[in-house]
């Protein structure tokens, strides 16, 4: 039982809670799994990873031992240090790139896709 | 050279939104296969004869209970990606609270809290205090 000043029990005490929560919902784990599966089953000869999440450090590091890796930072922030490496590590020919607003604006789908799909008005 | 492209949809979305502006149009309807092709074009010196072989998009469904419009728009976008052939593989995780301010929001799940800092206790006198730890 929560007690107030002087040790008085407060049965209807209200709690205020501050929560820090990670925002991703498995999209990083799924990307890492597909990446390693495709590399290890030899269905790709090189990979591009679009993420700046340092949780991908191990799968990306492992991929670099087997295929050339292009790492694309899709955020305006600094590239994650743990995703950095030498371009020559492993099989080599790795590269790093920071995406720009122009890259995104110049690679848009047509406003109508198929017969029923229309780009949302505010997009 | 067959190139596989692996996209963390959440990282990309929030990064793009910060870069381009939340209220700005013209960046959300992204053609992932075209973007991958452009990235290869920029690096053809290092990777000659590279072709996009596989585009894997990993994201999570937005909860309609908390963000109905967002869920509908995401639905349209995922269908557009599939129908246009912009992705080969769509991998969907589970979305939880989208509220960055920490509020549970409409339809949010309640959570039990242990009465220890940073929890504050209060009674109907309007006073708040930290429980003794």
């Amino acid at each position: 039982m929560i007690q107030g000043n002087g040790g008085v029990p407060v049965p209807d005490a209200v709690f205020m809670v501050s929560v820090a929560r990670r925002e991703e919902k498995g999209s990083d784990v799924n990307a890492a799994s597909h990446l390693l599966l495709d590399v290890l089953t030899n269905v790709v000869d090189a990979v591009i990873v679009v993420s700046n999440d340092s949780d991908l450090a191990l799968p990306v590091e492992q991929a670099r031992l087997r295929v050339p890796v292009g790492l694309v930072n899709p955020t305006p922030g600094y590239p994650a240090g743990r995703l950095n490496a030498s371009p020559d590590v492993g099989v080599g020919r790795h590269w790093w790139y920071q995406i720009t607003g122009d890259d995104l604006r110049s690679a848009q789908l047509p406003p109508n896709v198929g017969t029923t799909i229309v780009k949302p008005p505010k997009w | 050279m067959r190139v596989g492209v692996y996209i963390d949809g959440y990282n990309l979305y929030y990064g793009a939104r910060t870069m381009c502006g939340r209220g700005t149009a013209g960046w959300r309807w992204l053609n992932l296969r075209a973007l991958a092709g452009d990235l290869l074009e920029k690096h053809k010196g290092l990777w000659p004869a590279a072709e996009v072989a596989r585009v894997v998009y990993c994201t999570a469904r937005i909860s309609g209970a908390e963000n109905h419009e967002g869920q509908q728009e995401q639905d349209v976008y995922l269908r557009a990606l599939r129908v246009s052939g912009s992705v080969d593989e769509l991998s969907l995780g589970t979305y939880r609270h989208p509220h960055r301010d920490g509020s549970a929001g409409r339809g949010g799940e309640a959570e039990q809290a242990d009465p220890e800092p940073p929890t504050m206790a209060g009674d109907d006198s309007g006073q708040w205090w930290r429980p003794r730890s």
Side-chain angles (χ1 to χ4, degrees):
Chain A
M1 177 71 75
I2 291 292
Q3 296 181 349
N5 292 332
V8 184
V10 185
D12 56 350
V14 178
F15 292 84
M16 295 183 74
V17 181
S18 140
V19 180
R21 187 194 297 283
R22 298 183 65 193
E23 260 236 346
E24 95 247 4
K25 289 89 203 153
S27 58
D28 57 343
V29 177
N30 290 349
S33 304
H34 280 289
L35 163 73
L36 285 181
L37 276 170
D38 289 355
V39 168
L40 294 173
T41 56
N42 298 311
V43 301
V44 295
D45 307 306
V47 299
I48 293 176
V49 177
V50 180
S51 177
N52 194 40
D53 187 337
S54 59
D55 286 353
L56 293 175
L58 177 66
V60 163
E61 201 181 288
Q62 288 296 311
R64 285 192 192 111
L65 302 177
R66 293 161 176 90
V67 296
V69 176
L71 202 72
V72 176
N73 174 5
T75 79
Y78 289 109
R82 291 180 59 214
L83 296 177
N84 200 9
S86 157
D88 301 322
V89 78
V91 297
R93 291 204 291 154
H94 312 301
W95 50 262
W96 287 259
Y97 180 75
Q98 186 155 26
I99 226 163
T100 67
D102 282 343
D103 293 334
L104 303 172
R105 286 184 288 266
S106 63
Q108 296 286 301
L109 291 163
N112 294 281
V113 175
T115 50
T116 58
I117 303 169
V118 182
K119 180 170 83 164
K122 291 176 202 159
W123 281 34
Chain B
M1 186 163 83
R2 301 163 301 168
V3 180
V5 184
Y6 306 87
I7 299 157
D8 178 345
Y10 265 82
N11 213 240
L12 173 60
Y13 178 78
Y14 285 113
R17 198 177 77 176
T18 308
M19 255 183 287
C20 298
R22 189 174 192 158
T24 310
W27 57 272
R28 283 180 169 86
W29 198 237
L30 187 60
N31 183 339
L32 299 171
R33 188 175 295 277
L35 176 70
D38 294 346
L39 290 167
L40 284 186
E41 181 65 25
K42 287 180 199 296
H43 295 90
K44 64 180 177 187
L46 202 56
W47 291 6
E51 288 170 16
V52 178
R54 223 165 119 61
V55 179
V56 179
Y57 184 55
C58 301
T59 188
R61 295 310 316 275
I62 291 171
S63 154
E66 294 176 8
N67 182 357
H68 183 64
E69 190 187 13
Q71 187 194 45
Q72 286 197 320
E73 289 178 343
Q74 185 190 41
D75 206 59
V76 171
Y77 181 55
L78 295 180
R79 275 167 54 218
L81 288 178
R82 269 196 217 102
V83 170
S84 67
S86 192
V87 294
D88 298 295
E89 178 103 28
L90 202 50
S91 195
L92 299 176
T94 319
Y95 193 82
R96 297 205 303 226
H97 301 274
H99 300 276
R100 313 207 90 188
D101 61 3
S103 66
R106 189 162 47 92
E109 300 156 34
E111 290 192 21
Q112 184 140 14
D114 295 322
E116 60 188 13
T119 306
M120 305 269 278
D123 57 22
D124 53 9
S125 73
Q127 283 188 310
W128 298 91
W129 67 92
R130 290 189 187 283
R132 296 168 208 155
S133 41

